[in-house]
Amino acid sequence: MPITISGDGTISGMTQFSASAQPSCLLGQIPSATRFLKASTNGDNIRFFYTHTNVGCTVSANKDRITVPSAGTYLVTVCISGQCSDASDPGAAFRAELRKNGTFCVNSRLYPEINLGEATGREFSQTYALPIVLAANDYLEVRIQLSSVATDQEAEMEDGYFSVTKLN
C-alpha cells in the first residue's frame, strides 16, 4: 500500500516508521584544575568535566574537543560563567571562541566579549548559539581568548557547557 499524506497532514498507508538519531553531544562543568582565565591560559581550550550525552560523536580524552561523524548543519551552543578573582585591570575582557579544526570558523567579532570585572567577586557569563556547517570528521573546540594578556587580570570559570547537535 503506498504512503499518502492528505491535505490535513494525516499520513496513511504506513504500518511502521523509524528514524535514526541525529548526532549530538553535551559536555558540562568546568573542572577546578583548568578553570582559570589568566595570561598563562590564553589560547587554551576550555575543558569540561563530564559528557552528559553523546550520540555518535567522538569526545577527546581532555573533554575539550567534539568530533562530528557526518556532514551537515550543526547547532553549537556554549555557556560559560564565573567570577573575577583579581580586579587589577577593570578593562580586561574575555571571549570563549569556537574553533573548527583548530582555526576560526566564524569572525571573532561574533562572540560577545565579557568584561571580567571592576571588582573582585564580580560575576560574568557568556552564552551563544551558532549554526555551523561541518564536514564529516570536523572537530570543534572552545578556546580562551583574553583581550589583554599584558595585565594581571584573573578570573575563574565556574560553570558551563558545550553542546553540538546536528540539525540536518
Side-chain angles (χ1 to χ4, degrees), residues 87-144:
S88 59
D89 180 3
F94 149 75
R95 286 194 307 253
E97 294 181 338
L98 184 66
R99 299 287 183 146
K100 178 174 86 171
N101 300 327
T103 61
F104 288 112
C105 62
V106 295
N107 187 300
S108 66
R109 302 302 290 173
L110 288 178
Y111 308 106
E113 188 167 88
I114 304 304
N115 185 289
L116 292 178
E118 298 173 359
T120 298
R122 181 178 184 266
E123 295 180 346
F124 66 87
S125 66
Q126 180 178 55
T127 302
Y128 59 83
L130 299 169
I132 304 291
V133 176
L134 299 173
N137 298 313
D138 277 351
Y139 66 86
L140 298 169
E141 304 161 312
V142 181
R143 177 180 174 219
I144 296 169

Side-chain angles (χ1 to χ4, degrees), residues 30-48 60 62-65 78 80 94-99 102-104 126 128 139-147 149 155 157 162:
I30 299 167
S32 58
T34 62
R35 61 174 47 174
F36 298 100
L37 298 171
K38 55 187 176 181
S40 64
T41 63
N42 189 53
D44 288 357
N45 290 339
I46 298 174
R47 296 180 181 186
F48 295 87
S60 66
N62 287 334
K63 293 184 180 55
D64 64 349
R65 176 184 292 179
V78 174
I80 304 294
F94 149 75
R95 286 194 307 253
E97 294 181 338
L98 184 66
R99 299 287 183 146
T103 61
F104 288 112
Q126 180 178 55
Y128 59 83
Y139 66 86
L140 298 169
E141 304 161 312
V142 181
R143 177 180 174 219
I144 296 169
Q145 183 63 49
L146 300 174
S147 63
V149 294
M157 298 176 288
F162 174 27

